[in-house]
Amino acid sequence: MLGLTESEARQAVEYLEQAHLMEKHDERGAPPGAPREPARETRWRIVNPQIAASRLAASESRLRQSVVALGESRRQLDELFDVYSVLDGRRTPRHSVEVFAGPLAVAALTDRAALACEREAVSCRPEGPPPGERLDPEAARDLALLARGVRLRVLYRHSARHHPPLRAHLEQLVAAGAEVRTTPEPFGALTAYDRSVGFIPHHTLPEGTAVIRDPSTLAFLHRVFDQSWDVAAPFDGPPGAAVQCEQHDTILRLLSEGARDETIARRLGMSLRTCRRHIAEAFKEMGAQSRFQAGYLTGRGGRTG
């Protein structure tokens, strides 16, 4: 009647079934448990287009969920491949700069790099451990490097000299052969091994880390470290007069730039109370009676006391 061949009619029925516009009559509408007679031929029933559209929307929703799930699986596999490519020494990393968001993955990569280090390790640690966090993992890694004869240079803030756990750790490192120096404001966090791999914080992810393997970038980071190292003060226990003078100079410079006490304390890695004590001591050394006078004397480039 429609002038269609059997093959064309079959294709049309399949299309209408996939579009939910037709359904097999013998599969729907029978009461539950009712006996069914063997069907000699398949009978079809037309479906209301609105019902077909709702069924199609449900299928589309399930398909979208599957696509999202597949995308997440792909992302997870990519992250696993990045970790595996680094941990497996026979493979070459896909990128010269890779970002890892999980602390466990970063810890595994750092431990692996430290174990493979043979000549030199440098580390700038401006923040130190979070309050209450133990130094055991970091100390164990440092001491293992020194035990293998690796040259270790570590840069901290001056405020580390006032932190008992950190000071004890630095004294232990020096006794084991490490070179330790402190500075008022370190340039930022960095750990690098054998000039072949470096770790720096990610600029947006709170616990993210960028792993650097590009030789040019690593060479630049080492030059930045060396410049800070050359002007830093060797660690020899509690802060001496020279360290305290440098710290006071930094505080006065920040005050002259209009920094608030809270900002100065954060930048120098000390409590607000300690910062204000240093400010008072710096004012006394200069003979200044106010912030305005201290800023004026600092701008002239000299102390009066």
Side-chain angles (χ1 to χ4, degrees), residues 169-305:
H169 174 55
L170 300 188
E171 292 172 350
Q172 186 182 28
L173 287 182
V174 172
E179 302 171 55
V180 179
R181 296 185 182 185
T182 64
T183 185
E185 292 186 275
F187 62 87
L190 166 69
T191 298
Y193 299 98
D194 280 342
R195 299 179 181 264
S196 60
V197 60
F199 300 83
I200 62 175
H202 193 269
H203 65 292
T204 58
L205 297 176
E207 295 184 345
T209 297
V211 182
I212 313 296
R213 298 182 187 83
D214 176 66
S216 298
T217 306
L218 286 170
F220 173 78
L221 292 174
H222 273 82
R223 283 197 298 271
V224 172
F225 180 89
D226 289 338
Q227 289 173 357
S228 296
W229 181 263
D230 290 341
V231 298
F235 174 79
D236 52 4
V243 170
Q244 183 168 311
C245 181
E246 183 180 13
Q247 203 162 32
H248 288 177
D249 286 344
T250 303
I251 289 174
L252 291 171
R253 175 178 57 80
L254 293 173
L255 283 173
S256 68
E257 295 173 357
R260 301 176 58 185
D261 294 357
E262 294 80 1
T263 302
I264 297 173
R266 183 175 62 254
R267 289 180 60 170
L268 300 187
M270 61 180 64
S271 68
L272 181 60
R273 181 178 179 181
T274 300
C275 177
R276 286 173 174 166
R277 177 172 59 81
H278 282 294
I279 291 174
E281 292 174 354
F283 281 12
K284 184 177 180 180
E285 292 173 2
M286 296 186 71
Q289 301 298 320
S290 66
R291 289 173 179 260
F292 176 80
Q293 187 179 12
Y296 172 74
L297 294 173
T298 302
R300 294 183 58 184
R303 294 170 178 262
T304 61

Side-chain angles (χ1 to χ4, degrees), residues 23-230:
E23 62 183 8
K24 292 180 181 179
H25 180 64
D26 57 351
E27 292 184 356
R28 299 179 182 271
R36 295 188 177 184
E37 298 181 359
R40 297 182 179 180
E41 62 179 11
T42 302
R43 301 181 62 186
W44 296 89
R45 179 167 58 184
I46 302 299
V47 178
N48 187 316
Q50 292 184 348
I51 298 176
S54 65
R55 293 176 182 174
L56 190 62
S59 299
E60 183 180 9
S61 177
R62 289 192 297 269
L63 181 60
R64 289 182 182 276
Q65 292 175 3
S66 298
V67 171
V68 171
L70 288 172
E72 179 64 18
S73 297
R74 168 61 64 184
R75 185 190 64 80
Q76 293 175 352
L77 288 173
D78 287 342
E79 290 184 357
L80 288 173
F81 180 84
D82 289 338
V83 176
Y84 179 74
S85 66
V86 176
L87 296 180
D88 186 355
R90 297 171 299 174
R91 294 181 178 269
T92 302
R94 296 183 302 167
H95 310 293
S96 59
V97 179
E98 296 174 291
V99 176
F100 295 89
L104 294 179
V106 174
L109 294 174
T110 304
D111 289 341
R112 176 73 176 186
L115 287 173
C117 183
E118 298 178 350
R119 300 179 302 278
E120 175 191 24
V122 299
S123 185
C124 183
R125 302 166 183 173
E127 302 302 332
E133 184 172 316
R134 302 179 65 184
L135 283 163
D136 292 352
E138 187 175 90
R141 188 186 300 124
D142 291 341
L143 294 175
L145 288 168
L146 294 168
R148 298 202 309 271
V150 174
R151 183 192 182 192
L152 174 62
R153 292 186 292 161
V154 185
L155 193 61
Y156 273 96
R157 293 185 191 272
H158 283 334
S159 58
R161 299 171 184 258
H162 300 279
H163 190 279
L166 268 178
R167 186 171 65 245
H169 174 55
L170 300 188
E171 292 172 350
Q172 186 182 28
L173 287 182
V174 172
E179 302 171 55
V180 179
R181 296 185 182 185
T182 64
T183 185
E185 292 186 275
F187 62 87
L190 166 69
T191 298
Y193 299 98
D194 280 342
R195 299 179 181 264
S196 60
V197 60
F199 300 83
I200 62 175
H202 193 269
H203 65 292
T204 58
L205 297 176
E207 295 184 345
T209 297
V211 182
I212 313 296
R213 298 182 187 83
D214 176 66
S216 298
T217 306
L218 286 170
F220 173 78
L221 292 174
H222 273 82
R223 283 197 298 271
V224 172
F225 180 89
D226 289 338
Q227 289 173 357
S228 296
W229 181 263
D230 290 341

